[in-house]
Amino acid sequence: MRREEPAPVPVAAPIRWWRLRPWSRNHLMRPSDRVEAILVLLAAVLVLLLIPVAAAFGTATHTRLEQQTQTLRAGAHQVPAVLLEDTYPAPDIPEYAIRPVGTQNTALARWTTPHGERTGAVPTDTPAKAGQTITISVDADGHLTGPIPDSRENTALAVTAACGLWALTAGAVLLCAALAHFLFHRNRLRRWAQEWTQFDTPPG
């Protein structure tokens, strides 16, 4: 006579926290599971809502930078300057930091302002000799102006600021969600351990 094999015992699948639906009528879900699912859902929604916020911040930053650039361009004007020495490679020190990007040469020069003559190290595009006249950019007081950023640089700064804001805020939200999941998971394991202890305890 053939022996019948016992039917397999169904095993409940583990509950995945990312598949929890707080609006479902699953009676096996505890209130803490629903709270955890709601927190995870809110975190995901907040991360998505932060995208337009970061975009608006980047747009405002770009507008502010463009206004600053226009102000710098309006306040600067070109004046002639006479080189007092031959040009030489500009050293990488703060005194020579005011020069356009890519300018490698500098020299001591003298220029005339409404407040008198001024002398200082000025950048040059090409090597030059002492006594030559070059054109420099100064402000209303006659001080040498630094490089004025263009629209491309302003756009890059605005995009970086927007991405940085989104990364920081989204990271904070996800960190809070991960911490909440860790606490709920630890509390769940502790409850399971207590229930297994009660189940293994003999009656009476």
Side-chain angles (χ1 to χ4, degrees), residues 91-192:
D92 191 12
I93 56 178
E95 287 77 6
Y96 295 88
I98 303 179
R99 63 180 188 271
V101 178
T103 303
Q104 301 296 331
N105 300 300
T106 188
L108 193 65
R110 181 186 295 114
W111 63 94
T112 303
T113 69
H115 307 286
E117 291 187 344
R118 294 185 182 274
T119 303
V122 298
T124 59
D125 297 331
T126 57
K129 298 294 183 178
Q132 291 185 5
T133 301
I134 63 173
T135 302
I136 61 174
S137 179
V138 297
D139 57 14
D141 296 329
H143 298 288
L144 189 67
T145 60
I148 299 177
D150 55 11
S151 181
R152 182 181 302 177
E153 294 176 350
N154 292 336
T155 302
L157 288 176
V159 171
T160 302
C163 294
L165 176 66
W166 180 83
L168 288 176
T169 52
V173 171
L174 293 178
L175 181 62
C176 294
L179 179 60
H181 168 65
F182 171 76
L183 295 177
F184 278 107
H185 182 66
R186 188 176 63 175
N187 187 30
R188 188 183 302 112
L189 293 179
R190 183 167 56 249
R191 290 200 311 266
W192 286 353

